[in-house]
Amino acid sequence: MSIMGTRVVRTEDPVFLSRGATYTDDLTDERLNGALHLTLVRSPLAHARITAVDVEAAREAPGVVAVFAGADIDLAPTLLFAGANPGMVRPWLATDKVRFVGEPVAAVLTEQPYQGQDAADLVEIDYDPLPAVVDPRAALTDEVLLFEEVGTNLAGGFGHDQEFDEHFFDGCEVVVTRDIVNQRLAASPLEGRAAAAVWGEDGRVTLWASTQNPQSARDEIASWLGIDAGLIHLIAPDVGGGFGAKIGADPEFALVVWLAQRLGRAVRWTETRSENLTGMLQGRAQLQTITIGGNRDGDVLAYRLDVLADAGAYPRLGVFLPFFTRQMAPGVYDIPKVESRARTVVTTTTSTGAYRGAGRPEATAAIERAMDLFAAEIGKDPAQVRRRNVVPPDKFPFETKGGAVYDSGEYAKAIDRVLEGAGYAELRAEQARRRERGDVVQLGIGVSAYVEITGGGAFSEDASVEVHADGSVTVLTGTSPHGQGHATAWAMLTSDRLGIPIEKITVKHGDTDLIPRGAGTMGSRSLQTGGVAVHQAAGELVELAKQRAADLLEAAVDDLEVADGAVSVRGTDTNVTLAQLADREQLKVDTVFDSGAPTFPFGAHVAVVEVDIESGKAVVDRIVTLDDAGPIVNPLLAEGQRHGGIAQGISQALLEEVVYDADGNPLTATFADYAFPSAAELPSFTLLDMATPTTLNPLGAKGIGEAGTIGATPAVQSAVIDAVSHLGVRHIDMPTSPLRVWEAINAARGERGAGSDSSEGAQQ
Amino acid sequence: MTTSMNTTVKVGITVNGTETTADVEPRLLLAHYLRDVIGLKATNVGCDTTSCGACTVLVDGESVKSCTVLAVQADGQSVTTMEGLSPNSTNLHPVAAAFRAEHGLQCGFCTPGMVMATVGLLKENPKPTEREVREGLEGNLCRCTGYHNIVRAVLAASGQDPDAGQTTSVEADAGRSPAGGVESAPGFSTGSGA
Amino acid sequence: MIPVAFSYARPDSLESALALLAEHGEDATVLAGGHSLLPVMKLRLAAPEVVIDIGRLPELRYIRLDGDEVAIGAGTRHRDLEASDVLGAEAPLLAAVARTVGDPQVRHRGTIGGSLAHADPASDLPAAVLTLGGTVVLRGPRGERQVPATGFYTGMFSTVKEPDELIVEIRVPRTGSSGWAYEKFTRRANDWAIVGVAVVDGRVGLVNMGASPLRASTTEAALADGASIEEAAALADQGTDPTSDLAATAEYRRHLARVLTRRALTTAAG
Ligand SMILES: Cc1cc2nc3c(=O)[nH]c(=O)nc-3n(C[C@H](O)[C@H](O)[C@H](O)COP(=O)(O)OP(=O)(O)OC[C@H]3O[C@@H](n4cnc5c(N)ncnc54)[C@H](O)[C@@H]3O)c2cc1C
Ligand code: FES
Ligand code: FES
């Protein structure tokens, strides 16, 4: 039986579960012996002029080797994301101005890590405060400018020059519009950012860094420092989660490289959680206006999405992500008219970038909210309204009004299956009973349907497979993972073709000298690019082996087959092992796979929540999801990806939000204040399967990594609103905290003129 | 017993059965003692506020967050870290083995703390229900797994069948539909039997 | 993050702990479980010069019956309270409240004395002791004194305890089989209370409804006058002064106090 599609436990785990993984801060490489420890002094103010920096006292502190202020760094400020407004450059250490709380202002290098914070406390910086601008709507007015010389806070946009069509909704019987918030989130991988650098005698630097894509990180750092990328040997050791926020390099990494060169010593940096929650890229952060129109039968005829995105202080990938939001705006629906625009502004907050889903959850949340509002307005079941408007299976490949070409999909079937799996009709009946009884704990049911885009950023990936004379195999891949289990899955793909057991297959990644090209793990791309490349390389190796064996075995290539690590003449005992072939001549294949286009996995989720309508607290009782990403290589790993995403989706809907006060002070800069769930707040999840292959790669595989955040978030938000919709509530922004739910119920009651006493919500 | 005032103190801590001693600053956190003084790097530090549990170890058999214990507070006591559970990577402790079998870890950063919290939990409650597992691990954050498979791993490590049933308060039959375009893989389970 | 350097002593008796405290005065801070002190020291919000570790003094760790009261050593860990058969039978509210504190790791370290001394308005045990009508036993150079919990708190993070005094014992009346309940409202299981309401024997205590733990005295008086649970609970926020923060507005806290009081009284009434 083929190993493909089986629940193979991870080859990574024995080490992870005995002596533990090796993250950047765990490295004991002897080149790092005696490394200096970098401690950054960060701005406590959101927006201010720096009037003086005094590092003298810090220089005298025990263990201090050097202290640098902005003026000591001879690197020009840099535009960190090429697509952004070119004047919005970031200095390596702030010189004249700071633009967010957490911006690095001085660098302290000490012999011992504990000495760093002691010395950092002695750095004296005088600030002249400027007004903060936290709300993107305020930023849009340009009243407070982050970059005075640029003259605007607009960092970028898509379709933002054109005006909306004022007749767009003509002919619609019903039009609903609403401002909604897709709140700012902190990716919060449990391992924060970390880097270590040492320059060698050969004039090259070895940089270990916690990144999702070492090759791109290497190139970014080289361009920032103005050096040849070939001088950087970047190694990503084990990486403790990324979720998009570790795509590429951070400026701190480049600073570590620069400091190591300047000081002629190895330098290490590991951020604290408080630094992480103000310094690491944050996600989402979109204000949206949704408008949906249609007829009372339930046909959606027109949809408009207006996005105002928050780039934070220094534009990075967050400037680009609204592109995906616009592209995926219509979701799974065949809507005759769709228009959208996106503007992105800088604010005096932490920069934004990718967070699991990166632009697509924002699109799904918007359209799914719009479908709910539309269904509520016409008084129809939201699941049925969805089903009625989805793209039918015979229309694929389907070019959407968002400008995407969906490869394959069975949207109505996905909705039907998940409704059936959740027992939708019975849930609605139970909801009706509770409403009838006036229960304190009401039931809410949320349904979402989604399609997303995976492998959207980079379509091509390298792979190399080599069989050694001892029968072992080495696989090199450019998709460097951070928990996804590629070492196991890529070994399965190789084993499937070569018939060599996975125990003998070593998958290597994350070392730019060994693997100079690669695009990394992000956008759910790994299997459909890197995995397929491995599959292809192993296939090519089979062909190569057959050709070499044909001479040896004096047989026609067509009569040969590869199984159990050997080439044999079909129907005979005559064979030569791949190891024997490798012993004669190197048996290795390098290949590149290019899918040329992204794929569009899809699914539907049902969330069941219980809402205590007196306190406003929502608890997730059940999540049923159907996620279709084509055929699954290893269900154990795919389910793990789904589980993790679902939890993050629930978390966005119920708990998480990065909050700043009006002065730009972050109020959620520790894990005590930035709340995401523990096991105690979540149920187990029910997962349903469907596998509609794509034609864009030989495995038929699409991406699965972000399904959870894309599908679960709107389902849970919708369920919370649904639980109190009979009280007149139509919308609650995320996170649907107890306070917000309670306020929404009060507001709805007030509007209905019930004027009830806020103390007693419902009859017992 | 340390009765005099000192700016460095000598500590002796039995770690995974081995006596260790060092002169340390009183402010040295146990987590850093383990990682930096004696070089056991499995124990991770994931936060500044005693929130994440990545640093969980056992002190005299009880789970504690080693980022919020001074090394000197553990003087004379016995500490167990994840390294102390399994003799080697091919011979995993039952809790560690269950985490592997149930795919209870992804990036692995929360894992040493999660495993040690589990060992502590099962000592106090050898046959926990799913709810008790979830509440017993409330001090440990994982950003990757959504906890589903961690909970399964703990149930499995306690000798219970993780498929035996999940409790929800809403009774509705969530019968699983068969897989779509491809055969469902053998042994497929979601830990949520209807 | 790591604390500012300090010097450390671990006296081997209560007497020498008190002597050290007297010697170092305001420069010294007592360390018990360390689960309030070390977090603030790591964030450098506190930087004592001298830390006196009383966390391992066996004479401070006990739970025993003493006449009509249960006497609890100040160094008794939350986990000890949670698992105590004596408390389970004689003051079950306290054991149940202890079970809601933080998470298992926190409960393995934190002590009841530390919790009362720290006097965080969001903490659970101070309100439980107040609701039980307990007493705090302090010892210092001027001898020992007993302070009723009602007079122990003077404001946010502040109590009548002098810097050279230690809490040595907490005494709570045996409530036996009287009805009790604790309603702790949080977003996540291991969070601090947004609002908490403890009820036992007609007394009602409130967590996080002011600078220190409070008794809902208007509610208690109404109950004593024969008001219904509904009526009495509707008065639960009278005389309180809750704050507004990320999790809750003051108005919402007042609302929660009323709702939770009704629920706790209903549960306690069985
Ligand atoms: C993650 C986390 C979550 C938590 N959640 C909760 C929660 O939900 N509810 C809750 O109530 N608490 C919670 N706590 C606090 C916890 O209960 C603390 O343990 C407790 O508040 C303090 O007890 P301690 O023994 O650790 O005191 P320490 O931290 O050692 O000391 C605290 C203060 O009290 C003083 N002190 C200690 N003992 C004495 C004594 N005997 N005499 C005089 N002064 C003394 C110290 O000098 C110090 O100022 C949480 C803590 C953490 C880290
Ligand atoms: S590092 Fe100890 S709890 Fe987070
Ligand atoms: S496995 Fe990554 S944090 Fe738990």
Side-chain angles (χ1 to χ4, degrees), chain A residues 461-465 527-538 591-593:
Chain A
E461 198 58 71
D462 290 26
S464 133
V465 175
L527 178 62
Q528 69 194 72
T529 56
V532 172
V534 168
H535 170 80
Q536 178 174 302
T591 197
V592 180
F593 172 74

Side-chain angles (χ1 to χ4, degrees), chain C residues 1-216:
Chain C
M1 290 193 159
I2 42 123
V4 175
F6 53 82
S7 45
Y8 172 88
R10 189 166 64 236
D12 51 17
S13 71
L14 189 53
E15 288 323 308
S16 55
L18 285 165
L20 278 169
L21 204 50
E23 182 189 334
H24 294 282
E26 306 252 320
D27 295 339
T29 296
V30 166
L31 175 74
H35 271 49
S36 288
L37 183 59
L38 292 175
V40 294
M41 286 173 64
K42 283 168 67 184
L43 296 173
R44 301 200 164 193
L45 302 172
E49 284 175 30
V50 178
V51 168
I52 301 169
D53 185 355
I54 60 166
R56 281 159 68 178
L57 291 177
E59 62 258 55
L60 287 181
R61 196 171 172 186
Y62 57 84
I63 301 172
R64 58 178 172 246
L65 290 179
D66 189 356
D68 290 344
E69 293 180 314
V70 187
I72 302 159
T76 304
R77 306 257 162 108
H78 306 333
R79 168 70 192 166
D80 303 333
L81 303 177
E82 188 185 336
S84 160
D85 292 338
V86 174
L87 280 181
E90 302 295 341
L93 173 71
L94 196 57
V97 170
R99 200 166 301 131
T100 72
V101 173
D103 53 53
Q105 293 96 316
V106 170
R107 299 197 289 276
H108 287 143
R109 299 296 295 183
T111 67
I112 185 169
S115 182
L116 267 61
H118 193 62
D120 186 321
S123 59
D124 303 291
L125 290 169
V129 172
L130 182 74
T131 312
L132 282 160
T135 309
V136 182
V137 184
L138 298 169
R139 197 181 297 172
R142 294 163 303 283
E144 194 170 284
R145 56 182 179 133
Q146 302 212 354
V147 183
T150 42
F152 186 66
Y153 299 97
T154 53
M156 197 172 291
F157 301 107
S158 85
T159 70
V160 300
K161 183 184 78 64
E162 298 292 338
D164 57 3
E165 284 182 309
L166 283 178
I167 300 177
V168 290
E169 192 175 87
I170 288 89
R171 305 179 68 86
V172 296
R174 297 167 67 172
T175 56
S177 57
S178 321
W180 60 272
Y182 186 53
E183 290 279 345
K184 178 174 179 175
F185 190 78
T186 60
R187 292 182 72 189
R188 294 181 298 175
N190 68 335
D191 280 341
W192 294 78
I194 293 173
V195 174
V197 178
V199 164
V200 65
D201 227 358
R203 291 185 298 272
V204 181
L206 304 174
V207 176
N208 220 6
M209 288 299 291
S212 47
L214 296 173
R215 289 267 287 271

Side-chain angles (χ1 to χ4, degrees), chain A residues 60-133:
Chain A
E60 302 306 314
V64 173
V65 173
V67 184
F68 293 84
D72 305 323
I73 311 266
D74 60 359
L75 290 169
T78 299
L79 185 68
L80 295 175
F81 181 73
N85 194 324
M88 296 179 171
V89 293
R90 174 162 165 170
W92 300 92
L93 293 173
T95 46
D96 50 334
K97 238 182 115 164
V98 288
R99 295 183 177 85
F100 68 101
V101 172
E103 178 164 4
V105 185
V108 176
L109 291 118
T110 54
E111 298 284 357
Q112 300 298 329
Y114 274 31
Q115 293 161 342
Q117 205 180 345
D118 295 345
D121 285 354
L122 299 173
V123 174
E124 294 276 348
I125 304 162
D126 293 336
Y127 296 98
D128 197 355
L130 295 166
V133 53

Side-chain angles (χ1 to χ4, degrees), chain B residues 1-7 25-27 29 32 48 50 56 62-65 67-70 72-75 77 117 124 136 138-140, chain C residues 1-3 5-12 20 24 31-32 34-35 38-39 42 44 50 53 56 79 102-105 107-109 189-190:
Chain B
M1 280 288 156
T2 314
T3 44
S4 61
M5 307 303 311
N6 281 309
T7 48
E25 282 189 275
R27 63 169 165 168
L29 303 174
H32 293 136
D48 310 324
T50 325
T56 301
E62 282 187 329
S63 61
V64 305
K65 294 179 174 179
C67 70
T68 312
V69 176
L70 302 171
V72 65
Q73 283 178 288
D75 180 35
Q77 296 185 319
E124 286 170 14
E138 67 187 330
N140 292 72
Chain C
M1 290 193 159
I2 42 123
F6 53 82
S7 45
Y8 172 88
R10 189 166 64 236
D12 51 17
L20 278 169
H24 294 282
L31 175 74
H35 271 49
L38 292 175
K42 283 168 67 184
R44 301 200 164 193
V50 178
D53 185 355
R56 281 159 68 178
R79 168 70 192 166
D103 53 53
Q105 293 96 316
R107 299 197 289 276
H108 287 143
R109 299 296 295 183
N190 68 335

